[in-house]
Amino acid sequence: MMKSITIFIFCCLTSVFAYSQDKPNIVLLFSDDAGYADFGFHGSKTMKTPNLDKLAKQGVKFTQAYVSDPTCGPSRAGLITGRYQQRFGFEENNVPGFMSKVSAADGWDMGVPTEEVTLADYLKKQGYATAFYGKWHLGGADKFHPTKRGFDEFYGFRGGARSYFPYSDLPPSKMDLMEKGFGNYQEPAKYLTDALATEAVDFIKRKHKEKQPFFAMLSFNAVHTPMDATPEDLAKFPNLTGKRKIVAAMTLALDRACGKIIDQLKKLGIEDNTIIVFTNDNGGPTDKNASVNYPLSGTKSNHLEGGIRVPFLMKWPGKLKANTTYTNPISTMDLLPTFYAAAGGDVSAIQNIDGVNLTPFITGIDNAKPHETLFWKKDARGVIRKGDFKLIRFPDRPAELYNIAEDISESNNIADAHPELVKSLFKELFEWELTLERPRWMLKKEFEKVDIDRMDAYRDQSKFLD
Ligand code: CA
Protein backbone atom coordinates (compact mmCIF):
# COMPACT_ATOMS: atom_id res chain seq x y z
CA MET A 1 0.00 0.00 0.00
CA MET A 2 2.75 2.38 1.07
CA LYS A 3 4.68 1.54 -2.07
CA SER A 4 1.76 2.28 -4.38
CA ILE A 5 1.14 5.60 -2.63
CA THR A 6 4.81 6.44 -3.06
CA ILE A 7 4.62 5.54 -6.74
CA PHE A 8 1.44 7.56 -7.09
CA ILE A 9 3.07 10.63 -5.48
CA PHE A 10 6.16 10.13 -7.60
CA CYS A 11 4.03 10.02 -10.77
CA CYS A 12 2.21 13.17 -9.75
CA LEU A 13 5.47 14.96 -9.09
CA THR A 14 7.04 13.88 -12.36
CA SER A 15 3.96 14.89 -14.31
CA VAL A 16 4.00 18.32 -12.66
CA PHE A 17 7.67 18.42 -13.48
CA ALA A 18 7.16 17.51 -17.12
CA TYR A 19 4.22 19.88 -17.34
CA SER A 20 6.33 22.79 -16.13
CA GLN A 21 9.25 22.00 -18.34
CA ASP A 22 7.08 21.64 -21.43
CA LYS A 23 6.23 25.30 -21.23
CA PRO A 24 8.78 27.47 -22.96
CA ASN A 25 10.48 30.20 -20.98
CA ILE A 26 9.93 33.64 -22.45
CA VAL A 27 12.41 36.50 -22.58
CA LEU A 28 11.38 39.85 -24.03
CA LEU A 29 14.30 42.17 -24.79
CA PHE A 30 12.89 45.63 -25.36
CA SER A 31 14.87 48.72 -26.31
CA ASP A 32 13.81 52.36 -26.18
CA ASP A 33 14.00 54.97 -28.96
CA ALA A 34 16.41 52.95 -31.09
CA GLY A 35 16.87 53.83 -34.76
CA TYR A 36 15.62 51.35 -37.35
CA ALA A 37 18.96 51.47 -39.17
CA ASP A 38 21.09 51.19 -36.05
CA PHE A 39 21.55 47.43 -35.85
CA GLY A 40 24.00 45.14 -37.62
CA PHE A 41 21.11 42.88 -38.63
CA HIS A 42 19.57 45.85 -40.44
CA GLY A 43 22.81 46.55 -42.27
CA SER A 44 24.50 49.08 -39.99
CA LYS A 45 28.25 49.17 -40.44
CA THR A 46 28.61 51.73 -37.63
CA MET A 47 26.82 50.11 -34.74
CA LYS A 48 28.25 47.02 -33.09
CA THR A 49 25.44 44.58 -32.21
CA PRO A 50 27.04 41.12 -32.52
CA ASN A 51 24.73 39.40 -30.02
CA LEU A 52 21.54 40.67 -31.61
CA ASP A 53 22.91 39.90 -35.08
CA LYS A 54 23.46 36.33 -33.93
CA LEU A 55 19.93 36.20 -32.53
CA ALA A 56 18.62 37.35 -35.94
CA LYS A 57 20.44 34.44 -37.60
CA GLN A 58 19.01 31.95 -35.12
CA GLY A 59 15.42 33.05 -35.53
CA VAL A 60 12.94 35.05 -37.57
CA LYS A 61 13.47 38.65 -38.59
CA PHE A 62 10.21 40.55 -39.12
CA THR A 63 10.43 43.18 -41.83
CA GLN A 64 7.12 44.90 -41.11
CA ALA A 65 6.73 44.95 -37.33
CA TYR A 66 4.76 47.86 -35.93
CA VAL A 67 4.17 49.39 -32.55
CA SER A 68 0.74 50.78 -31.67
CA ASP A 69 2.11 54.30 -31.14
CA PRO A 70 5.28 56.22 -32.04
CA THR A 71 5.81 57.30 -28.39
CA CYS A 72 7.08 55.38 -25.35
CA GLY A 73 4.10 55.21 -22.99
CA PRO A 74 1.21 54.46 -25.37
CA SER A 75 3.33 51.96 -27.33
CA ARG A 76 4.05 50.07 -24.11
CA ALA A 77 0.39 50.25 -23.05
CA GLY A 78 -0.58 48.55 -26.35
CA LEU A 79 2.06 45.86 -25.94
CA ILE A 80 1.30 45.00 -22.31
CA THR A 81 -2.47 44.67 -22.90
CA GLY A 82 -2.55 43.38 -26.48
CA ARG A 83 -5.08 46.14 -27.18
CA TYR A 84 -5.12 49.47 -28.93
CA GLN A 85 -4.36 51.67 -25.92
CA GLN A 86 -6.95 54.22 -27.11
CA ARG A 87 -9.57 51.64 -26.11
CA PHE A 88 -8.85 52.54 -22.49
CA GLY A 89 -7.98 56.18 -22.96
CA PHE A 90 -4.16 55.90 -22.92
CA GLU A 91 -3.91 57.91 -26.09
CA GLU A 92 -2.47 61.32 -25.71
CA ASN A 93 1.01 60.71 -24.56
CA ASN A 94 3.28 59.62 -21.79
CA VAL A 95 2.58 59.64 -18.10
CA PRO A 96 2.63 61.95 -16.32
CA GLY A 97 1.24 64.19 -19.01
CA PHE A 98 -0.35 67.60 -18.95
CA MET A 99 -3.27 68.02 -16.56
CA SER A 100 -5.68 70.11 -18.54
CA LYS A 101 -8.84 71.61 -17.12
CA VAL A 102 -10.83 68.91 -18.88
CA SER A 103 -8.58 66.01 -17.91
CA ALA A 104 -9.90 63.71 -15.23
CA ALA A 105 -6.57 62.40 -14.02
CA ASP A 106 -3.65 64.03 -12.26
CA GLY A 107 -0.05 62.94 -12.93
CA TRP A 108 0.05 59.94 -10.65
CA ASP A 109 -3.38 58.77 -11.78
CA MET A 110 -2.32 58.53 -15.40
CA GLY A 111 -1.62 54.91 -16.22
CA VAL A 112 -2.95 51.68 -17.67
CA PRO A 113 -6.32 51.36 -15.89
CA THR A 114 -6.25 48.63 -13.25
CA GLU A 115 -9.14 46.77 -14.85
CA GLU A 116 -6.94 46.02 -17.87
CA VAL A 117 -5.33 42.58 -17.82
CA THR A 118 -1.62 42.54 -18.63
CA LEU A 119 0.61 40.10 -20.46
CA ALA A 120 2.18 39.21 -17.11
CA ASP A 121 -1.26 38.54 -15.58
CA TYR A 122 -1.99 36.05 -18.36
CA LEU A 123 1.36 34.28 -18.04
CA LYS A 124 1.07 34.07 -14.26
CA LYS A 125 -2.24 32.30 -14.77
CA GLN A 126 -0.30 29.71 -16.78
CA GLY A 127 2.09 29.09 -13.90
CA TYR A 128 4.92 31.40 -14.96
CA ALA A 129 7.27 33.27 -12.67
CA THR A 130 7.30 36.84 -13.99
CA ALA A 131 9.80 39.66 -13.68
CA PHE A 132 10.19 43.16 -15.07
CA TYR A 133 13.48 45.06 -15.36
CA GLY A 134 13.96 48.69 -16.30
CA LYS A 135 11.60 51.37 -17.55
CA TRP A 136 7.94 50.94 -16.59
CA HIS A 137 6.23 54.15 -17.77
CA LEU A 138 2.73 52.74 -17.41
CA GLY A 139 1.70 54.77 -14.38
CA GLY A 140 3.51 56.23 -11.37
CA ALA A 141 0.88 55.65 -8.68
CA ASP A 142 1.27 52.63 -6.41
CA LYS A 143 -1.83 51.01 -7.87
CA PHE A 144 -0.09 50.83 -11.28
CA HIS A 145 3.13 49.34 -9.90
CA PRO A 146 4.51 46.38 -11.90
CA THR A 147 4.22 44.14 -8.83
CA LYS A 148 0.47 44.87 -8.89
CA ARG A 149 0.19 44.26 -12.64
CA GLY A 150 1.23 40.63 -12.80
CA PHE A 151 4.97 40.83 -12.21
CA ASP A 152 6.34 38.89 -9.22
CA GLU A 153 9.62 40.78 -9.30
CA PHE A 154 10.70 44.27 -10.34
CA TYR A 155 13.95 46.14 -10.54
CA GLY A 156 13.43 49.36 -12.39
CA PHE A 157 11.96 52.85 -12.33
CA ARG A 158 8.37 53.94 -12.73
CA GLY A 159 8.98 56.91 -15.04
CA GLY A 160 10.05 57.35 -18.66
CA ALA A 161 13.75 58.22 -18.49
CA ARG A 162 16.57 58.45 -16.00
CA SER A 163 20.34 58.62 -15.67
CA TYR A 164 22.34 55.52 -16.58
CA PHE A 165 24.56 56.23 -13.60
CA PRO A 166 23.51 56.12 -9.94
CA TYR A 167 22.08 59.37 -8.60
CA SER A 168 24.07 60.89 -5.78
CA ASP A 169 21.54 63.67 -5.24
CA LEU A 170 17.80 63.25 -5.35
CA PRO A 171 16.51 63.17 -8.96
CA PRO A 172 13.74 65.55 -10.09
CA SER A 173 11.07 62.93 -9.50
CA LYS A 174 10.70 59.85 -7.32
CA MET A 175 9.61 58.09 -10.52
CA ASP A 176 13.24 58.26 -11.71
CA LEU A 177 14.65 56.29 -8.77
CA MET A 178 15.55 52.64 -9.13
CA GLU A 179 13.28 50.46 -7.06
CA LYS A 180 13.68 46.80 -6.13
CA GLY A 181 10.35 45.15 -5.50
CA PHE A 182 7.86 47.66 -4.13
CA GLY A 183 9.08 50.85 -2.47
CA ASN A 184 12.60 49.62 -1.81
CA TYR A 185 14.73 52.26 -3.52
CA GLN A 186 18.13 51.05 -4.58
CA GLU A 187 20.41 52.82 -7.05
CA PRO A 188 22.43 50.59 -9.41
CA ALA A 189 26.02 49.71 -8.52
CA LYS A 190 27.09 50.04 -12.15
CA TYR A 191 26.03 51.39 -15.56
CA LEU A 192 22.27 50.81 -15.62
CA THR A 193 22.06 48.75 -18.83
CA ASP A 194 24.55 46.26 -17.36
CA ALA A 195 22.84 46.30 -13.97
CA LEU A 196 19.49 45.31 -15.52
CA ALA A 197 21.09 42.31 -17.23
CA THR A 198 22.75 41.21 -13.99
CA GLU A 199 19.42 41.28 -12.16
CA ALA A 200 17.64 39.38 -14.93
CA VAL A 201 20.37 36.72 -15.03
CA ASP A 202 19.93 36.20 -11.30
CA PHE A 203 16.16 35.75 -11.77
CA ILE A 204 16.68 33.27 -14.63
CA LYS A 205 19.12 31.19 -12.57
CA ARG A 206 16.79 31.08 -9.56
CA LYS A 207 13.71 30.12 -11.56
CA HIS A 208 15.62 27.49 -13.49
CA LYS A 209 16.71 25.96 -10.17
CA GLU A 210 13.11 26.02 -8.96
CA LYS A 211 11.98 24.40 -12.23
CA GLN A 212 9.41 27.07 -12.84
CA PRO A 213 8.82 28.43 -16.35
CA PHE A 214 9.58 32.12 -16.42
CA PHE A 215 8.81 35.32 -18.27
CA ALA A 216 11.42 38.07 -18.02
CA MET A 217 10.80 41.45 -19.61
CA LEU A 218 13.94 43.51 -20.05
CA SER A 219 12.66 47.00 -20.64
CA PHE A 220 15.93 48.79 -21.27
CA ASN A 221 15.85 52.58 -21.27
CA ALA A 222 18.69 52.34 -23.78
CA VAL A 223 19.02 54.20 -26.07
CA HIS A 224 16.67 56.91 -24.78
CA THR A 225 18.17 60.16 -23.50
CA PRO A 226 20.05 61.18 -21.34
CA MET A 227 23.06 60.46 -23.51
CA ASP A 228 25.12 58.56 -20.94
CA ALA A 229 27.81 56.06 -21.86
CA THR A 230 30.88 54.62 -20.18
CA PRO A 231 34.38 55.74 -21.26
CA GLU A 232 35.19 52.12 -22.18
CA ASP A 233 32.22 51.85 -24.56
CA LEU A 234 32.89 55.30 -26.06
CA ALA A 235 36.48 54.26 -26.78
CA LYS A 236 35.20 51.55 -29.13
CA PHE A 237 34.03 54.23 -31.60
CA PRO A 238 37.08 56.41 -32.27
CA ASN A 239 35.80 57.54 -35.67
CA LEU A 240 32.51 58.94 -34.40
CA THR A 241 31.84 62.23 -32.68
CA GLY A 242 29.09 63.94 -30.67
CA LYS A 243 25.77 62.28 -29.98
CA ARG A 244 26.35 59.68 -32.71
CA LYS A 245 29.38 58.40 -30.81
CA ILE A 246 27.38 58.24 -27.57
CA VAL A 247 24.41 56.44 -29.11
CA ALA A 248 26.82 53.90 -30.62
CA ALA A 249 28.34 53.27 -27.17
CA MET A 250 24.87 52.99 -25.59
CA THR A 251 23.81 50.54 -28.30
CA LEU A 252 26.93 48.46 -27.68
CA ALA A 253 26.02 48.25 -23.98
CA LEU A 254 22.46 47.28 -24.91
CA ASP A 255 23.76 44.49 -27.13
CA ARG A 256 26.18 43.31 -24.44
CA ALA A 257 23.33 43.13 -21.90
CA CYS A 258 21.16 41.12 -24.32
CA GLY A 259 24.14 38.83 -24.96
CA LYS A 260 24.63 38.26 -21.27
CA ILE A 261 21.07 37.02 -20.90
CA ILE A 262 21.20 34.85 -24.03
CA ASP A 263 24.51 33.33 -22.87
CA GLN A 264 23.01 32.51 -19.49
CA LEU A 265 20.16 30.59 -21.12
CA LYS A 266 22.74 28.61 -23.06
CA LYS A 267 24.83 27.97 -19.94
CA LEU A 268 21.79 26.54 -18.16
CA GLY A 269 20.96 24.38 -21.17
CA ILE A 270 17.54 25.98 -21.63
CA GLU A 271 18.04 28.02 -24.78
CA ASP A 272 16.19 25.40 -26.82
CA ASN A 273 13.15 25.80 -24.59
CA THR A 274 13.12 29.59 -24.46
CA ILE A 275 11.38 32.05 -26.73
CA ILE A 276 13.43 35.20 -27.14
CA VAL A 277 12.00 38.33 -28.72
CA PHE A 278 13.92 41.51 -29.33
CA THR A 279 12.06 44.66 -30.33
CA ASN A 280 11.91 48.42 -29.70
CA ASP A 281 9.17 50.75 -28.44
CA ASN A 282 9.17 53.45 -31.15
CA GLY A 283 11.32 54.90 -33.91
CA GLY A 284 14.49 56.81 -33.18
CA PRO A 285 14.24 60.54 -32.36
CA THR A 286 17.12 61.67 -34.56
CA ASP A 287 17.18 65.15 -33.01
CA LYS A 288 17.47 63.80 -29.45
CA ASN A 289 19.81 60.81 -29.63
CA ALA A 290 21.25 60.90 -33.18
CA SER A 291 19.52 57.62 -34.07
CA VAL A 292 18.85 56.87 -37.75
CA ASN A 293 15.73 55.21 -39.18
CA TYR A 294 16.76 54.90 -42.84
CA PRO A 295 15.36 53.60 -45.21
CA LEU A 296 12.23 54.65 -43.33
CA SER A 297 11.19 58.29 -43.14
CA GLY A 298 10.47 60.36 -40.06
CA THR A 299 11.11 59.74 -36.38
CA LYS A 300 9.64 59.05 -32.99
CA SER A 301 6.33 60.82 -32.30
CA ASN A 302 5.12 60.89 -35.90
CA HIS A 303 3.32 58.26 -37.95
CA LEU A 304 5.66 57.91 -40.89
CA GLU A 305 7.20 54.43 -40.97
CA GLY A 306 10.25 55.71 -39.08
CA GLY A 307 8.04 56.36 -36.06
CA ILE A 308 6.05 53.14 -35.94
CA ARG A 309 7.98 50.39 -37.74
CA VAL A 310 10.53 48.74 -35.45
CA PRO A 311 13.22 46.06 -35.49
CA PHE A 312 11.74 42.74 -34.38
CA LEU A 313 13.42 39.37 -33.91
CA MET A 314 11.99 36.13 -32.56
CA LYS A 315 13.85 32.95 -31.77
CA TRP A 316 12.03 29.79 -30.77
CA PRO A 317 14.13 26.68 -31.46
CA GLY A 318 12.22 23.68 -32.73
CA LYS A 319 9.27 25.85 -33.66
CA LEU A 320 10.59 28.64 -35.88
CA LYS A 321 13.10 28.18 -38.69
CA ALA A 322 16.45 29.83 -38.12
CA ASN A 323 17.68 32.63 -40.37
CA THR A 324 14.31 33.39 -41.98
CA THR A 325 12.24 36.51 -42.48
CA TYR A 326 8.55 37.13 -42.05
CA THR A 327 7.31 39.92 -44.26
CA ASN A 328 3.63 40.49 -43.44
CA PRO A 329 2.74 43.33 -41.06
CA ILE A 330 2.60 42.39 -37.38
CA SER A 331 2.17 44.42 -34.21
CA THR A 332 3.74 44.38 -30.75
CA MET A 333 0.13 43.94 -29.58
CA ASP A 334 0.54 40.38 -30.94
CA LEU A 335 3.06 39.48 -28.24
CA LEU A 336 0.40 38.98 -25.56
CA PRO A 337 -1.65 36.35 -27.44
CA THR A 338 1.48 34.78 -28.98
CA PHE A 339 3.13 34.28 -25.60
CA TYR A 340 -0.12 33.25 -23.91
CA ALA A 341 -0.73 30.57 -26.54
CA ALA A 342 2.88 29.37 -26.26
CA ALA A 343 2.29 29.05 -22.51
CA GLY A 344 -0.69 26.79 -23.15
CA GLY A 345 -3.34 29.48 -22.77
CA ASP A 346 -6.56 29.55 -24.78
CA VAL A 347 -6.38 32.77 -26.77
CA SER A 348 -9.88 32.34 -28.18
CA ALA A 349 -11.21 32.79 -24.64
CA ILE A 350 -9.72 36.29 -24.33
CA GLN A 351 -12.24 38.98 -25.12
CA ASN A 352 -11.53 42.27 -26.79
CA ILE A 353 -7.89 42.09 -27.76
CA ASP A 354 -6.50 43.46 -30.99
CA GLY A 355 -3.33 41.37 -31.14
CA VAL A 356 -3.30 37.89 -32.69
CA ASN A 357 -1.32 34.73 -31.96
CA LEU A 358 1.46 34.92 -34.55
CA THR A 359 2.66 31.33 -34.31
CA PRO A 360 0.32 29.78 -36.94
CA PHE A 361 1.30 32.56 -39.35
CA ILE A 362 5.06 32.40 -38.84
CA THR A 363 5.13 28.62 -38.98
CA GLY A 364 3.23 28.62 -42.28
CA ILE A 365 0.13 26.85 -40.93
CA ASP A 366 -1.87 29.93 -41.83
CA ASN A 367 -0.81 31.75 -44.97
CA ALA A 368 -3.18 34.68 -44.48
CA LYS A 369 -1.93 37.99 -43.08
CA PRO A 370 -2.15 38.36 -39.29
CA HIS A 371 -3.55 41.88 -39.85
CA GLU A 372 -5.18 43.09 -43.03
CA THR A 373 -5.70 46.49 -41.37
CA LEU A 374 -3.83 48.40 -38.65
CA PHE A 375 -4.67 51.78 -37.09
CA TRP A 376 -2.95 54.56 -35.20
CA LYS A 377 -4.37 57.70 -33.59
CA LYS A 378 -3.22 60.66 -31.57
CA ASP A 379 -5.32 63.76 -31.12
CA ALA A 380 -6.46 64.87 -34.61
CA ARG A 381 -3.90 62.67 -36.31
CA GLY A 382 -4.92 59.23 -37.53
CA VAL A 383 -3.52 56.48 -39.72
CA ILE A 384 -4.90 53.42 -41.43
CA ARG A 385 -2.80 50.80 -43.13
CA LYS A 386 -4.90 48.48 -45.25
CA GLY A 387 -3.02 45.99 -47.38
CA ASP A 388 -0.12 47.92 -48.83
CA PHE A 389 -1.89 51.30 -48.70
CA LYS A 390 -1.37 53.71 -45.84
CA LEU A 391 -3.41 56.85 -45.34
CA ILE A 392 -2.07 59.46 -42.92
CA ARG A 393 -4.41 62.16 -41.64
CA PHE A 394 -2.60 65.30 -40.45
CA PRO A 395 -3.86 68.26 -38.42
CA ASP A 396 -2.25 70.90 -40.68
CA ARG A 397 -2.39 69.57 -44.27
CA PRO A 398 -4.41 67.28 -46.52
CA ALA A 399 -4.16 63.54 -45.89
CA GLU A 400 -1.42 61.65 -47.72
CA LEU A 401 -1.58 58.19 -49.27
CA TYR A 402 1.35 55.85 -49.82
CA ASN A 403 1.86 52.40 -51.26
CA ILE A 404 4.22 51.04 -48.61
CA ALA A 405 5.26 47.98 -50.63
CA GLU A 406 6.51 50.16 -53.49
CA ASP A 407 7.56 53.21 -51.52
CA ILE A 408 9.07 52.29 -48.16
CA SER A 409 10.38 55.85 -47.64
CA GLU A 410 6.94 57.42 -48.20
CA SER A 411 8.29 59.91 -50.69
CA ASN A 412 5.58 59.59 -53.33
CA ASN A 413 2.18 60.79 -52.10
CA ILE A 414 -0.42 59.20 -54.40
CA ALA A 415 -3.53 60.65 -52.73
CA ASP A 416 -4.48 62.76 -55.76
CA ALA A 417 -4.39 59.74 -58.05
CA HIS A 418 -6.73 57.69 -55.81
CA PRO A 419 -9.53 59.96 -54.56
CA GLU A 420 -11.99 57.08 -54.05
CA LEU A 421 -9.50 55.06 -52.03
CA VAL A 422 -8.68 58.10 -49.88
CA LYS A 423 -12.38 58.57 -49.24
CA SER A 424 -12.99 54.95 -48.22
CA LEU A 425 -9.88 54.72 -46.01
CA PHE A 426 -10.81 58.00 -44.34
CA LYS A 427 -14.22 56.52 -43.56
CA GLU A 428 -12.81 53.23 -42.27
CA LEU A 429 -10.41 55.09 -39.98
CA PHE A 430 -13.30 57.14 -38.60
CA GLU A 431 -15.35 54.00 -38.00
CA TRP A 432 -12.50 52.49 -35.98
CA GLU A 433 -12.20 55.70 -33.97
CA LEU A 434 -15.86 55.42 -33.02
CA THR A 435 -15.00 52.24 -31.10
CA LEU A 436 -12.47 54.03 -28.89
CA GLU A 437 -12.59 55.66 -25.48
CA ARG A 438 -11.86 59.37 -25.03
CA PRO A 439 -8.31 60.14 -23.79
CA ARG A 440 -8.09 60.01 -20.00
CA TRP A 441 -5.58 62.85 -20.00
CA MET A 442 -4.52 65.46 -22.46
CA LEU A 443 -1.33 66.84 -23.86
CA LYS A 444 -0.83 70.55 -24.33
CA LYS A 445 -1.94 71.30 -27.85
CA GLU A 446 1.37 73.01 -28.62
CA PHE A 447 3.07 69.60 -28.54
CA GLU A 448 1.19 68.65 -31.69
CA LYS A 449 3.24 71.33 -33.41
CA VAL A 450 6.46 69.97 -31.91
CA ASP A 451 5.66 66.57 -33.41
CA ILE A 452 4.75 67.98 -36.81
CA ASP A 453 7.87 70.15 -36.92
CA ARG A 454 10.06 67.19 -36.00
CA MET A 455 8.46 65.10 -38.74
CA ASP A 456 9.15 67.78 -41.33
CA ALA A 457 12.71 68.47 -40.20
CA TYR A 458 13.74 64.81 -39.95
CA ARG A 459 11.60 63.29 -42.64
CA ASP A 460 14.46 62.46 -45.04
CA GLN A 461 16.60 60.09 -42.99
CA SER A 462 19.14 59.51 -45.79
CA LYS A 463 20.74 62.78 -44.67
CA PHE A 464 21.76 61.19 -41.36
CA LEU A 465 23.33 57.98 -42.67
CA ASP A 466 26.92 57.42 -41.47
CA1 CA B 1 10.61 55.25 -26.53
Side-chain angles (χ1 to χ4, degrees):
M1 180 66 183
M2 200 58 210
K3 197 179 169 193
S4 62
I5 289 173
T6 310
I7 289 169
F8 174 73
I9 290 172
F10 177 76
C11 289
C12 285
L13 282 175
T14 47
S15 70
V16 166
F17 221 63
Y19 177 72
S20 302
Q21 289 192 328
D22 281 348
K23 291 178 186 266
N25 303 303
I26 301 169
V27 173
L28 175 54
L29 307 168
F30 196 49
S31 61
D32 190 358
D33 281 17
Y36 194 78
D38 290 343
F39 293 93
F41 63 83
H42 274 180
S44 177
K45 301 272 184 269
T46 306
M47 300 289 156
K48 297 184 204 293
T49 55
N51 290 295
L52 292 171
D53 299 349
K54 199 161 127 193
L55 183 66
K57 288 213 176 85
Q58 293 171 337
V60 183
K61 183 165 78 175
F62 293 74
T63 59
Q64 297 201 74
Y66 289 100
V67 286
S68 59
D69 191 85
T71 330
C72 312
S75 162
R76 287 151 195 267
L79 184 157
I80 209 91
T81 59
R83 308 180 71 204
Y84 285 115
Q85 61 281 353
Q86 298 94 340
R87 296 206 185 284
F88 45 87
F90 199 128
E91 170 182 329
E92 280 285 333
N93 208 317
N94 294 326
V95 292
F98 169 64
M99 186 175 68
S100 81
K101 284 178 185 149
V102 294
S103 175
D106 75 13
W108 288 86
D109 281 330
M110 298 171 184
V112 173
T114 50
E115 61 270 24
E116 293 298 320
V117 186
T118 72
L119 168 56
D121 290 325
Y122 281 111
L123 291 176
K124 247 181 104 64
K125 223 169 64 182
Q126 293 305 112
Y128 278 62
T130 53
F132 188 98
Y133 300 96
K135 165 170 161 174
W136 178 239
H137 215 197
L138 295 174
D142 291 349
K143 65 181 175 184
F144 300 128
H145 196 270
T147 57
K148 294 177 182 177
R149 307 311 299 270
F151 290 99
D152 301 325
E153 300 191 21
F154 173 59
Y155 182 61
F157 57 103
R158 301 186 194 188
R162 60 151 283 148
S163 167
Y164 290 76
F165 298 110
Y167 287 115
S168 46
D169 295 321
L170 273 184
S173 160
K174 213 168 106 179
M175 277 199 229
D176 299 344
L177 284 171
M178 290 300 289
E179 192 179 357
K180 195 161 193 172
F182 180 83
N184 175 25
Y185 293 99
Q186 198 175 308
E187 283 299 290
K190 53 186 164 189
Y191 186 71
L192 185 55
T193 305
D194 293 313
L196 296 177
T198 301
E199 291 288 326
V201 160
D202 175 64
F203 169 76
I204 289 168
K205 279 174 156 168
R206 280 189 283 113
K207 293 305 149 187
H208 172 64
K209 211 168 170 184
E210 292 164 16
K211 305 286 178 206
Q212 190 178 7
F214 57 80
F215 167 53
M217 180 163 175
L218 270 291
S219 176
F220 296 103
N221 50 324
V223 295
H224 196 293
T225 53
M227 302 301 286
D228 288 342
T230 66
E232 295 78 23
D233 289 339
L234 288 165
K236 304 265 169 56
F237 300 92
N239 299 326
L240 299 178
T241 55
K243 281 187 189 172
R244 191 69 179 147
K245 185 186 184 90
I246 306 174
V247 81
M250 292 166 82
T251 304
L252 179 69
L254 167 73
D255 182 80
R256 175 173 63 236
C258 293
K260 197 170 170 191
I261 290 153
I262 296 166
D263 287 349
Q264 187 60 51
L265 298 168
K266 194 173 178 179
K267 235 181 261 173
L268 296 173
I270 52 175
E271 65 169 348
D272 284 348
N273 192 35
T274 303
I275 301 172
I276 305 175
V277 168
F278 169 78
T279 189
N280 177 56
D281 73 336
N282 52 254
T286 311
D287 51 339
K288 299 276 185 193
N289 67 0
S291 51
V292 180
N293 300 309
Y294 187 84
L296 311 179
S297 287
T299 61
K300 173 179 182 175
S301 79
N302 59 74
H303 296 91
L304 294 167
E305 294 289 287
I308 54 176
R309 197 194 291 204
V310 290
F312 194 112
L313 309 172
M314 186 172 183
K315 179 193 171 195
W316 189 358
K319 197 86 173 173
L320 307 182
K321 274 193 199 135
N323 207 13
T324 54
T325 55
Y326 186 76
T327 58
N328 286 325
I330 63 146
S331 166
T332 49
M333 293 186 294
D334 300 332
L335 288 172
L336 184 148
T338 302
F339 289 167
Y340 186 55
D346 177 10
V347 174
S348 67
I350 306 181
Q351 302 287 312
N352 304 321
I353 58 165
D354 296 295
V356 298
N357 173 16
L358 291 175
T359 305
F361 298 98
I362 323 168
T363 50
I365 293 169
D366 191 334
N367 285 318
K369 289 180 177 175
H371 300 273
E372 187 55 41
T373 315
L374 284 166
F375 302 96
W376 293 263
K377 177 188 188 299
K378 182 165 282 176
D379 201 271
R381 291 180 278 164
V383 178
I384 172 172
R385 167 143 186 197
K386 192 179 177 70
D388 289 331
F389 289 102
K390 179 180 170 192
L391 180 87
I392 313 178
R393 187 185 68 204
F394 300 99
D396 68 334
R397 65 196 76 178
E400 294 174 5
L401 180 72
Y402 296 97
N403 182 327
I404 296 300
E406 292 171 2
D407 180 21
I408 193 173
S409 297
E410 294 163 288
S411 50
N412 182 26
N413 174 17
I414 53 174
D416 287 349
H418 300 276
E420 288 308 314
L421 183 59
V422 168
K423 219 187 246 180
S424 73
L425 291 176
F426 226 103
K427 192 81 178 162
E428 197 171 338
L429 173 59
F430 176 66
E431 274 160 11
W432 170 73
E433 288 178 300
L434 295 178
T435 69
L436 305 175
E437 198 39 85
R438 283 290 191 184
R440 287 181 182 240
W441 58 87
M442 314 296 281
L443 198 63
K444 274 186 179 167
K445 197 71 183 176
E446 66 192 58
F447 288 117
E448 279 292 290
K449 178 167 161 48
V450 174
D451 287 357
I452 292 293
D453 287 349
R454 182 193 259 169
M455 177 182 74
D456 288 339
Y458 294 89
R459 182 167 187 138
D460 179 4
Q461 287 279 309
S462 69
K463 291 192 286 194
F464 306 105
L465 271 180
D466 299 300

